[in-house]
Amino acid sequence: MRALDMAWRLLRREWRHGELLVLLLSLSVAIASQSGVGFLVDRVSRAIDLQASEVLAADMRIESAGALSAESEFEAQRLGLRTAHLTTLLSAVFRNDANQLANIRAVSDGYPLRGTLTVSTTPFTPGSKSVGIPAPGEAWADSRLAAALGASVGDTLMIGARDLRLTQILISRPDQGSGFVDFAATVLINEADLASTQLVQPTSRLTRALLLSGERAQLQAFRSWHASQPPNRERVRDVSDDSPQIGSAARRAGRFLAIAGLVAVLLCAVAVAMSARTYVQRHLDTVALMKTLGATRALLATISVIQLLALALLATLLGCTAGWLTQEWLVHVLQNVLQTNLPPPGFGTLFASVAVAVTMLMGFALPSLLQLMRTPALRVLRRDVQPPPIGLLLAALPAVLALGLVVITTLDDWQLSQWFFLSLCGALLALAVVGTGLVRMASLLRKGGARQWRYGIASLARRRMESVAQIVAFGLAFMLLLVLASLRRDLVEDWRRLLPSDPPNYFFVNIPTSDKDEFYDRLVALGARVERMLPMVRGRLVRINDEAVDAVRSADVGVREGREAAPAATGMRATGWGRGGSGRGLAEREQNLTWSFELGDDNRIVEGRWWTAADAGKPLVSLATEFQQRLGLKLGDRLTFAVGGETVVATVASFREVKWDSFRPNFFIVFPPGLLDGAAGTYMTSAAFTPRTGSDLAQLVQRFPSISVFNVGDLLAQVRAILDKAVSAVQSVFLFTLLAGVTVLLAAVQSSRDERRHETAVMRVLGAARRTMVQNVLVEFGALGLLAGVLSASGAAFSSYYLARILDVQYRFNMVAWVGGVMLSTVVVALAGWLAMRTVLDQPPRTALG
Amino acid sequence: MSRDIVLRTEKLTREVSSPEGPLTIVRDVNLEVESRASVAIVGPSGAGKSTLLALLAGLDLPTSGKVWLAGSDLTLLDEDGRARLRAERVGFVFQSFQLIQSLTAIENVMLPLELAGRKDATERSQSMLERVGLGSRVGHYPRQLSGGEQQRVAMARALVAEPAVLFADEPTGNLDSITGGRIVDLLFELNTHSATTLVLVTHDTALASRCERVLRMSNGTLLDGGG
Ligand SMILES: Nc1ncnc2c1ncn2[C@@H]1O[C@H](COP(=O)(O)OP(=O)(O)OP(=O)(O)O)[C@@H](O)[C@H]1O
Ligand SMILES: [Mg+2]
C-alpha cells in the first residue's frame, strides 16, 4: 500500500518534471509501429481470405450427397454464421424441341455469400453485377446453355416438370472455378421451385451444400463442432481444400505477413529494451540515494514496476491509437494499389496488440529494472560504482519467455515458431559475441590512426557495454529488415514467375496415346505454349504395407466420407483441382497415376530422393505431401495399387511438395517410367493459348473428339487478383516495418545521450571545436553502423536462406544487397547519431560547470 | 562498551582488487564514537576516508572486522536490513548534494519521511526547510537553486527524520568559504538542537577544528588509534 502510494507520487513528480516523457515517447512509437503493422496485416489477410472465399461463394461449405442434417444448419445459425443453400443436379433443360444437358443449381436467398453474380440480357457480353437471385418462377441460364438452346430473355424453359421464364443470362458466378466439374451448361433457379421440378427423387444424383460465412473464430468453432459429430455423409470444404493454388498463395502471403508483423514486434522489443536501458541509466543515482535513505529493494522494485506498468498502459493507449491512425492513413493512400476496400480491423487485433505490447515491455524492460534494483547504495559516494552485471539467465529469461509467447501466438505454426525462435536466439548470441570481439578490436585501434578517428573509436571502446548493446540493437534491427526485404523480393518474384503474363489457361485430358504427337503439333500450330505432357492411368490404392485400405479407413477417425462431387472421368483430380478433402477419400477412390523422369521446377523433394535413370522400372513411388499427411505415410512404406486388372506394389521413395499454383499438370502419385508403361492410359497437358477464333477450339475438338478441354481462365483471373493483392500488401506492410526500424535507431542512439551531454561540454571547455565534435560523433556512430552492418548483412543472408525454404521460395544470394546493406547501415547509423547528438553538441560549455 | 557508544568498529578492514593485485584501502580501524559527539575524519586525498564512512554507514561491507551502529551489528544484516536501519537512525550529507533532480526541494526533504511511512511528512519538511532558511523556496527544483541552497536542502533532508547519526562527506567541498561557513554553523546548530551524533569527513581545517574529536587518517589506517 505504501509502495503503491509512493510509486504513484514519484511517478507524478517525475512526470511533471518531464523525466519520463522520452521513455513514453519511444515506447509509444514502438507500439504504434507494431500495432500499425498488426492492424494492416489483419486487414490485408482478411481481404485475401475474402477474395479467396469467392471461389466457394462462401467461407466454408458443408456438402452431402443426400440430405443435409438439420443440426448443421441449426448450429451454424446458433454460432451467428450466415447461411445459404445450394442444390446441384444434372438434368436436361428443354426449350421447345431443343434440349441440352445442364447443371441445375437451385439456390436460396443470400447466395452467393462471397463474391457476386454478373448477369446480362445477351449471352457472351460483359454483364453487370446482380443483386439477389432468380425469383421463384424464373431461371437464369448461362451463355452456353442459352446459346445451345437458342433461347433469349423472355423465353420459357422447361426443367423437369416445371416451366420457368428465362429472365437473365448468367455471365459469371464466383464459384464457377471450383471443382472444375461444372462443364455442363448451367442454369440458376430459386430453391423454392426445386420441388416442383420433381427432379428430386430418391435415386437422383444430387449434391446439397450448406454455404457458410462469418468470422474466422465462428468458422473454426463450427468446424470443431462438426468434427465432434458422429460420422455422417457430410463433408466440410474450405478454400484450401477446394482450390489448392489459391490456398497456397493465400497461405504464403499469410505467412509472410505474419513474419512481417513479428518483425515489427521484435523491433518494438529492441526499442523497448534500449529505452529501458536509458531509464535505468537515468535512475541509477536515484536508486542509490533512495537506498541510502533507507528504501528496501522490495519497495524500490514495486515502485519501478508500478511506474513501468503505468507507462506501459499509457504508451499502449497512445501507441495503438497512433498505429491505428497511421494504418488508416496508409490504407487510404494505398487504396488505388490495393484496388479494394479493406475490411475494417477486428477488435481482436486491438487486444492482441495491447497484449503483445505489455508482454514485450515486461519481458524486455524487466531485466534492466532488476539490474537497477541492484545498484549499490555506495554509488552515492563513488560515482563509478555500477550495479553488478546481471546473470545471463536473469537477463535472458523474461525476454526469452516473452519472445516465445509472442512468436508462437503470432505465427500460429509450431515448426515455423520453433525455427524463428531458435534462430533469433542464435542471432542475438552471435551479435553479442562478435560485437564484443569487434569492440575489443576497436580499442586496440585507438592507439594508432589519425587524431580525428582516435576520439571516436576511443569513445566506442570506453563505453564498451553500451557499444555492444548498440551494436546488438542496430544489428538485430538491420538484420530483421534485411531478411524481410529479401524475403519480400523473393516472394514477389516467385509469384510473378509463377504467374507469367500468360499462364496455362486450358487443360486437355484423355489424349489418346496414338494422337499424342499430332495433338501436340496442332496445338503448337495454333500458337499455344504447351506444358509437359504426362501419361495418366487410373488405379486404386488397396493396401498400405500389410493393411488393407479398408482397415486404414476405419481407423481414420474423424474423417468424413469423401464423395466425388461429379463425374470423375475428367481426370481433373490428377491436376490437383478440387483436391479431395479427406484421407479416406484419397485412399478409397480411384486415383490418377503417372510416371515421369522429370521432376519439374514446380515440384520439390522434401524427403527421400527423386529417380535417376537407373531407377527405371523399379517398384518405387513418389507422393505429394498432401497425400502423405492425410494417410500418415512415411518413406519406405509399401503401397499396393490396383491398376487395371493387375496389382503394383511400390515402395515410397520420396515426398514432393507440389506448387499447384503453377497451373501445370501435376499428380499426387508419380512412378518411375518403365513400371506402368504396359497399362493402357491416356495423356494430359495444359497450355497457354488464346484461340484466335471460336472455331479454333471447335475444330480441335472435332478432330480429337475424345479429348476433354477445360478452360481455367476465370480461375486464373481470381488467383491473379489474390496474388496482386498479396504483393501490394506485402510491400506496404514492409514499409511499415521500416518505420519500426527507425524507432529502434532513435531509441538506441538516445541511450547514450545523457552521458554525452556532460562530456561534450567538458570537451568544449577544453577548447574542442564544434566541427571536431561532429567528426567524433560521425566516426563513432559510423563505426558502430559498419560493425552492425557487417554482422547483420551476413546474418540476414544466412537466415534468408532458411526462411526462403520455409516459405517455399527460391533464395538467391545477392552481393549487391550485402554491400548495400552494410553501407546503408553505416550511413544511416552515423546520420541518426549525428541527428540525435546535435542538441548535445550544441551544449554551451558552461553546462560543464553546473 | 558504555551505553553511550553509538558507533563502534573492531579491526575494520576493506580490501579491493586492483590491476596490481589486492589493495587494502581501510586497515584495522578500531573506533568508538559516543552519542552526541562530533567527530571529524581528516587526511590526504586517497587516504580512505570516504571508504571508511561508507563502511560506518553500512553502504558497503568490510572484508573483515565488525561495525556496530546504534546497537546493531551491520555485518550481520542484509542489504535491506541495513537500509531499514539507515531509514530510522542515519542521515547523510554529500559533497555533491545528491538531490533528486526531478523532485522539488520539499519533495526531496519529504523522501526519508515517506520512506519511513510518516504521515506528517509535508508539515515537518516545511518547517525543516524554514529552519535552514529556505521556507520560500520549497517548490523549486534543485537546478533552480545555488550550490549553498542545494546543500541546505540536503541537510534538511538528512535531519528531518531526526537520525541518531549524521554522516557527512565533505559537506563544504563544493562551496566557497563563506557559504561553507554558514553551512557548518547550521550543521552544529542542528546537531546541538536535535541531539545527533556527527561524523564528518573533511579537508576543511576550520570545520575539523570545531569538532570535539579529530581523527587523522593515512593510507587506510587511523593514525592516533581512534581511542
Ligand atoms: N572499489 C574500489 N576499487 C578500487 N579502488 C578503490 C575502490 N574504492 C576505493 N578505492 C581506492 O581507495 C583509495 C581510497 O579511496 P577514498 O575514496 O576512500 O579516498 P578519500 O580519502 O575519500 O579521498 P578524497 O579525499 O580524495 O575523497 C583510493 O585510492 C581509491 O582509488
Ligand atoms: Mg572522499
Side-chain angles (χ1 to χ4, degrees):
Chain A
M1 200 49 230
R2 203 178 89 221
L4 194 75
D5 193 41
M6 272 208 76
W8 174 238
R9 242 172 307 163
L10 282 176
L11 185 68
R12 232 178 34 213
R13 291 170 191 168
E14 291 209 14
W15 175 253
R16 223 173 38 220
H17 188 249
E19 182 78 359
L20 299 172
L21 203 65
V22 181
L23 183 62
L24 180 75
L25 214 68
S26 64
L27 285 184
S28 301
V29 174
I31 290 169
S33 57
Q34 179 260 322
S35 65
V37 173
F39 285 133
L40 199 64
V41 164
D42 179 51
R43 295 182 70 172
V44 168
S45 62
R46 274 161 190 263
I48 291 175
D49 277 0
L50 273 184
Q51 177 97 41
S53 294
E54 288 188 7
V55 178
L56 280 183
D59 292 325
M60 196 187 274
R61 282 184 177 202
I62 314 301
E63 289 185 355
S64 167
L68 283 163
S69 68
E71 288 91 13
S72 288
E73 182 154 8
F74 183 74
E75 178 66 13
Q77 279 165 358
R78 195 186 66 76
L79 287 168
L81 291 163
R82 290 198 302 138
T83 59
H85 300 146
L86 167 65
T87 307
T88 319
L89 58 93
L90 212 56
S91 171
V93 176
F94 294 85
R95 175 181 165 267
N96 303 331
D97 293 337
N99 74 76
Q100 168 74 40
L101 195 66
N103 230 314
I104 320 292
R105 299 173 71 89
V107 295
S108 69
D109 272 332
Y111 172 90
L113 295 177
R114 298 284 186 214
T116 46
L117 299 170
T118 48
V119 293
S120 170
T121 47
T122 340
F124 301 112
T125 49
S128 57
K129 285 184 181 173
S130 91
V131 197
I133 57 166
E138 291 183 5
W140 295 359
D142 69 0
S143 299
R144 199 167 355 169
L145 178 61
L149 295 175
S152 49
V153 168
D155 289 350
T156 299
L157 304 181
M158 198 167 93
I159 299 173
R162 177 73 199 250
D163 283 344
L164 295 169
R165 215 162 69 85
L166 179 62
T167 51
Q168 299 276 14
I169 305 297
L170 181 63
I171 300 299
S172 75
R173 56 192 166 84
D175 51 349
Q176 61 195 359
S178 77
F180 286 81
V181 289
D182 305 323
F183 291 103
T186 300
V187 60
L188 207 62
I189 64 170
N190 195 294
E191 187 181 37
D193 293 331
L194 188 60
S196 56
T197 61
Q198 295 177 11
L199 289 173
V200 182
Q201 304 294 335
T203 52
S204 49
R205 261 195 96 171
L206 54 78
T207 310
R208 289 186 191 272
L210 175 66
L211 310 192
L212 303 174
S213 74
E215 293 291 319
R216 262 180 248 187
Q218 295 171 313
L219 292 164
Q220 200 50 50
F222 182 84
R223 207 182 248 282
S224 322
W225 172 85
H226 198 264
S228 71
Q229 293 304 105
N232 56 29
R233 297 174 65 80
E234 289 178 13
R235 196 175 129 217
V236 178
R237 297 185 3 165
D238 65 16
V239 183
S240 53
D241 291 326
D242 213 67
S243 182
Q245 46 294 121
I246 288 178
S248 123
R251 196 168 52 242
R252 288 202 280 162
R255 273 193 171 184
F256 177 85
L257 292 178
I259 291 175
L262 196 58
V263 166
V265 172
L266 292 174
L267 292 174
C268 166
V270 177
V272 167
M274 293 311 281
S275 303
R277 282 178 64 89
T278 313
Y279 178 87
V280 166
Q281 284 302 324
R282 288 192 177 173
H283 284 77
L284 284 176
D285 288 337
T286 308
V287 166
L289 185 74
M290 298 270 284
K291 279 189 170 180
T292 307
L293 295 182
T296 57
R297 279 169 298 182
L299 177 70
L300 289 171
T302 316
I303 290 175
S304 290
V305 167
I306 291 174
Q307 285 200 352
L308 202 74
L309 263 178
L311 267 185
L313 286 180
L314 193 59
T316 309
L317 207 71
L318 288 176
C320 281
T321 312
W324 190 78
L325 289 175
T326 321
Q327 161 275 140
E328 271 295 303
W329 168 78
L330 205 66
V331 166
H332 182 75
V333 171
L334 288 173
Q335 201 84 71
N336 289 336
V337 187
L338 292 173
Q339 298 268 320
T340 42
N341 290 315
L342 288 178
F347 243 123
T349 316
L350 187 69
F351 286 127
S353 251
V354 174
V356 162
V358 174
T359 311
M360 282 290 137
L361 260 176
M362 288 294 128
F364 283 79
L366 211 58
S368 301
L369 269 188
L370 291 175
Q371 176 84 333
L372 181 60
M373 292 310 106
R374 288 154 55 117
T375 315
L378 190 58
R379 191 179 161 91
V380 291
L381 289 175
R382 293 186 58 89
R383 283 301 319 244
D384 60 321
V385 171
Q386 293 281 335
I390 198 163
L392 189 65
L393 193 70
L394 210 57
L397 200 66
V400 166
L401 282 181
L403 213 63
L405 203 70
V406 170
V407 167
I408 289 172
T409 47
T410 312
L411 292 186
D412 202 16
D413 175 331
W414 180 235
Q415 202 195 342
L416 188 62
S417 300
Q418 243 175 338
W419 182 88
F420 202 93
F421 183 72
L422 287 179
S423 43
L424 206 67
C425 292
L428 267 176
L429 206 68
L431 276 170
V433 169
V434 181
T436 312
L438 286 178
V439 171
R440 285 251 161 85
M441 255 160 65
S443 59
L444 295 180
L445 265 176
R446 69 200 281 194
K447 307 229 161 60
R451 191 169 45 86
Q452 301 92 300
W453 290 85
R454 225 161 45 214
Y455 283 113
I457 301 289
S459 177
L460 255 189
R462 191 166 39 76
R463 266 189 279 270
R464 187 174 289 173
M465 274 312 289
E466 190 67 40
S467 301
V468 172
Q470 281 178 335
I471 287 183
V472 171
F474 291 142
L476 195 66
F478 269 113
M479 189 172 126
L480 287 170
L481 289 175
L482 285 176
V483 168
L484 206 59
S486 115
L487 210 59
R488 177 197 58 103
R489 192 196 58 207
D490 292 344
L491 194 63
V492 169
E493 270 179 24
D494 211 50
W495 277 334
R496 297 220 163 110
R497 218 156 20 89
L498 258 187
L499 281 193
S501 49
D502 57 341
N505 54 345
Y506 282 92
F507 270 76
F508 302 94
V509 185
N510 285 338
I511 307 167
T513 311
S514 52
D515 291 341
K516 180 180 141 215
D517 297 330
E518 192 191 340
F519 180 72
Y520 183 89
D521 293 340
R522 282 277 195 119
L523 267 184
V524 171
L526 285 173
R529 186 172 47 75
V530 187
E531 297 292 341
R532 59 181 165 236
M533 215 174 245
L534 289 179
M536 183 165 105
V537 294
R538 296 185 64 76
R540 212 156 53 78
L541 176 62
V542 290
R543 298 180 83 81
I544 298 176
N545 295 328
D546 294 324
E547 250 179 304
V549 163
D550 264 306
V552 175
R553 230 195 296 169
S554 43
D556 193 2
V557 191
V559 173
R560 302 304 161 107
E561 181 184 359
R563 194 191 67 88
E564 290 237 296
T570 58
M572 294 313 289
R573 290 281 171 212
T575 68
W577 309 126
R579 193 171 53 159
S582 68
R584 196 163 167 188
L586 283 174
E588 135 189 334
R589 66 172 161 249
E590 284 218 301
Q591 292 291 334
N592 290 298
L593 318 174
T594 193
W595 57 91
S596 172
F597 262 137
E598 276 152 48
L599 183 60
D601 59 7
D602 49 349
N603 282 242
R604 188 167 67 81
I605 298 292
V606 289
E607 243 184 282
R609 57 170 195 87
W610 185 243
W611 337 121
T612 61
D615 293 319
K618 285 195 186 155
L620 299 173
V621 63
S622 170
L623 303 176
T625 47
E626 288 88 349
F627 206 80
Q628 170 197 14
Q629 282 153 14
R630 294 193 182 183
L631 290 181
L633 298 173
K634 56 188 185 308
L635 288 181
D637 278 340
R638 270 175 304 108
L639 306 185
T640 309
F641 292 91
V643 184
E646 296 177 35
T647 49
V648 179
V649 182
T651 309
V652 178
S654 63
F655 292 111
R656 283 168 297 126
E657 208 165 88
V658 180
K659 283 186 188 168
W660 301 105
D661 41 8
S662 69
F663 287 83
R664 299 199 201 137
N666 266 310
F667 287 74
F668 281 129
I669 304 164
V670 181
F671 290 92
L675 189 66
L676 294 178
D677 293 14
T682 55
Y683 280 78
M684 72 168 297
T685 190
S686 66
F689 169 43
T690 324
R692 273 155 302 189
T693 64
S695 62
D696 274 359
L697 260 177
Q699 280 170 7
L700 205 63
V701 173
Q702 256 170 8
R703 167 68 191 78
F704 305 101
S706 67
I707 298 179
S708 311
V709 184
F710 304 113
N711 182 351
V712 293
D714 288 326
L715 180 72
L716 263 175
Q718 273 170 325
V719 173
R720 184 170 288 146
I722 287 170
L723 288 188
D724 283 348
K725 205 162 282 177
V727 167
S728 51
V730 160
Q731 313 272 36
S732 53
V733 166
F734 178 68
L735 258 179
F736 220 132
T737 41
L738 274 182
L739 280 181
V742 173
T743 326
V744 174
L745 206 63
L746 293 180
V749 169
Q750 187 72 36
S751 69
S752 59
R753 207 173 118 156
D754 290 333
E755 195 183 329
R756 284 161 203 265
R757 196 182 294 278
H758 184 73
E759 195 172 290
T760 312
V762 172
M763 293 277 280
R764 297 204 56 193
V765 169
L766 296 179
R770 192 175 180 288
R771 230 187 55 133
T772 322
M773 308 289 301
V774 170
Q775 218 164 27
N776 287 350
V777 165
L778 285 180
V779 166
E780 180 183 348
F781 280 92
L784 265 182
L786 181 72
L787 297 184
V790 168
L791 287 177
S792 56
S794 314
F798 197 66
S799 39
S800 296
Y801 171 73
Y802 282 100
L803 253 190
R805 287 188 52 164
I806 285 174
L807 279 180
D808 203 11
V809 296
Q810 209 176 340
Y811 172 74
R812 285 166 293 272
F813 176 74
N814 190 331
M815 194 63 202
V816 179
W818 192 90
V819 174
V822 173
M823 273 168 30
L824 196 72
S825 159
T826 312
V827 172
V828 167
V829 174
L831 274 181
W834 172 71
L835 258 172
M837 294 303 151
R838 224 175 24 168
T839 55
V840 173
L841 294 177
D842 288 338
Q843 285 291 304
R846 75 158 292 274
T847 46
L849 309 174
Chain B
M1 240 204 245
S2 126
R3 237 190 71 241
D4 271 332
I5 302 294
V6 69
L7 187 62
R8 192 165 77 87
T9 67
E10 201 178 278
K11 294 202 162 220
L12 198 61
T13 300
R14 179 74 168 109
E15 279 180 17
V16 294
S17 54
S18 73
E20 287 83 35
L23 196 70
T24 309
I25 53 179
V26 169
R27 188 194 303 270
D28 289 336
V29 169
N30 296 306
L31 179 71
E32 283 191 353
V33 178
E34 284 138 27
S35 170
R36 290 168 175 249
S38 55
V39 179
I41 304 172
V42 296
S45 186
K49 306 181 296 288
S50 297
T51 309
L52 177 61
L53 199 71
L55 292 172
L56 295 179
L59 296 179
D60 196 10
L61 281 180
T63 317
S64 66
K66 295 254 173 207
V67 195
W68 287 268
L69 176 66
S72 307
D73 183 346
L74 290 184
T75 53
L76 295 182
L77 294 175
D78 69 352
E79 196 190 334
D80 287 342
R82 282 179 276 135
R84 274 189 216 105
L85 186 67
R86 280 197 298 272
E88 287 165 20
R89 317 304 297 257
V90 177
F92 273 101
V93 177
F94 307 96
Q95 176 175 3
S96 53
F97 321 141
Q98 298 279 11
L99 298 177
I100 295 181
Q101 297 295 319
S102 58
L103 302 186
T104 58
I106 191 162
E107 286 164 353
N108 265 291
V109 177
M110 282 161 66
L111 213 52
L113 296 175
E114 287 179 338
L115 283 171
R118 301 271 280 262
K119 286 273 172 281
D120 52 353
T122 320
E123 302 84 71
R124 286 177 65 101
S125 306
Q126 176 74 39
S127 70
M128 198 66 209
L129 276 172
E130 276 160 15
R131 276 176 64 192
V132 300
L134 289 174
S136 57
R137 312 292 298 269
V138 290
H140 288 212
Y141 285 101
R143 246 183 251 286
Q144 298 165 319
L145 301 171
S146 75
E149 286 162 347
Q150 289 189 46
Q151 194 61 309
R152 279 193 270 162
V153 174
M155 269 166 45
R157 184 181 63 190
L159 290 164
V160 72
E162 295 176 339
V165 186
L166 176 70
F167 291 101
D169 192 0
E170 306 196 17
T172 58
N174 274 355
L175 304 171
D176 65 82
S177 56
I178 297 177
T179 317
R182 284 202 197 115
I183 291 286
V184 172
D185 290 343
L186 193 59
L187 202 61
F188 282 94
E189 183 197 320
L190 295 171
N191 178 34
T192 37
H193 212 90
S194 48
T196 305
T197 307
L198 258 185
V199 178
L200 45 89
V201 166
T202 186
H203 284 295
D204 184 345
T205 43
L207 172 53
S209 65
R210 292 180 65 172
C211 292
E212 293 167 7
R213 279 170 69 197
V214 177
L215 303 175
R216 282 172 207 289
M217 206 175 174
S218 173
N219 264 331
T221 47
L222 283 186
L223 292 183
D224 34 8

